Amino acid sequence: MKSNYLFIIIAILFISCNNYQPDSRNRGLDRTARAKVSVTNRYFDFGSVSKSQFKTIPFSFTVYNNTDSIIQIVKIDVACSCIVINEHNNALDPLDSIKIGGYIDLKNQRGHFNKCIYVNYGIDELLLLRIKGDVEE
C-alpha cells in the first residue's frame, strides 16, 4: 500500500514538472526582445589628461527609451564619489531620449581611471555605463 502512495506522489511530481511554462515576466528567456533602453555608446573614454590642465572632465550619455511606455529612472548610483551626476529628468517618455551627464573630479585621481555608473530604472532593471581614461600628474 505504501508503494502505491509513493508511486502516485512521484507521478504527480513528474507531471507537474513537465507542465512548466515560463510566464511573460521572466524576461531572461526571450533573447530576441528589443532592449527597453539603449545608449549609443556605453563607454565614455576621456583619453589621457593632465591634472594640471583639467580639474574636472564633463561627460554625457544619451539614453533612449525603445518602448511605448514611460520608463522611470529610479536612481543613478556611481562607483566613486569623484563622479557627479547633473540633475536630469526621471521620466523617459516613450520612444524618446534624455541626456545623463555630469563631471569627473580629478582631484584625487591618478593613473588608469575605470569607473561605473549604474542607472536603475523600471522594476529591477539596470543600465551599466562606464567612464575610463588615464590621469597624469
Side-chain angles (χ1 to χ4, degrees):
M1 191 67 164
K2 286 183 182 181
S3 63
N4 287 342
Y5 288 123
L6 184 59
F7 177 75
I8 291 171
I9 291 173
I10 291 174
I12 290 172
L13 287 174
F14 181 74
I15 291 170
S16 66
C17 289
N18 283 337
N19 286 334
Y20 170 75
Q21 295 177 351
D23 65 22
S24 62
R25 292 176 296 195
N26 194 345
R27 295 176 191 95
L29 296 178
D30 187 5
R31 301 282 183 210
T32 62
R34 181 172 59 161
K36 288 183 179 181
V37 297
S38 61
V39 179
T40 304
N41 192 353
R42 290 180 187 258
Y43 295 92
F44 178 82
D45 188 345
F46 60 82
S48 183
V49 297
S50 171
K51 286 194 331 187
S52 62
Q53 288 182 325
F54 299 97
K55 301 295 181 208
T56 62
I57 297 176
F59 64 85
S60 178
F61 296 95
T62 303
V63 180
Y64 299 92
N65 178 350
N66 299 319
T67 71
D68 295 328
S69 303
I70 294 174
I71 292 179
Q72 290 292 91
I73 295 177
V74 178
K75 185 178 180 184
I76 298 180
D77 293 317
V78 294
C80 176
S81 62
C82 61
I83 299 173
V84 177
I85 303 294
N86 295 335
E87 295 262 340
H88 57 85
N89 189 353
N90 287 338
L92 185 51
D93 290 329
L95 304 173
D96 200 3
S97 65
I98 61 168
K99 293 227 185 258
I100 295 177
Y103 64 91
I104 307 156
D105 183 358
L106 298 179
K107 182 179 178 181
N108 296 317
Q109 304 302 314
R110 68 175 171 268
H112 187 66
F113 186 92
N114 190 357
K115 305 291 182 185
C116 293
I117 298 172
Y118 307 94
V119 180
N120 300 282
Y121 67 95
I123 300 173
D124 295 328
E125 300 284 347
L126 178 69
L127 174 64
L128 178 66
L129 306 172
R130 189 172 297 274
I131 300 174
K132 60 184 180 174
D134 293 294
V135 180
E136 300 169 354
E137 292 293 324

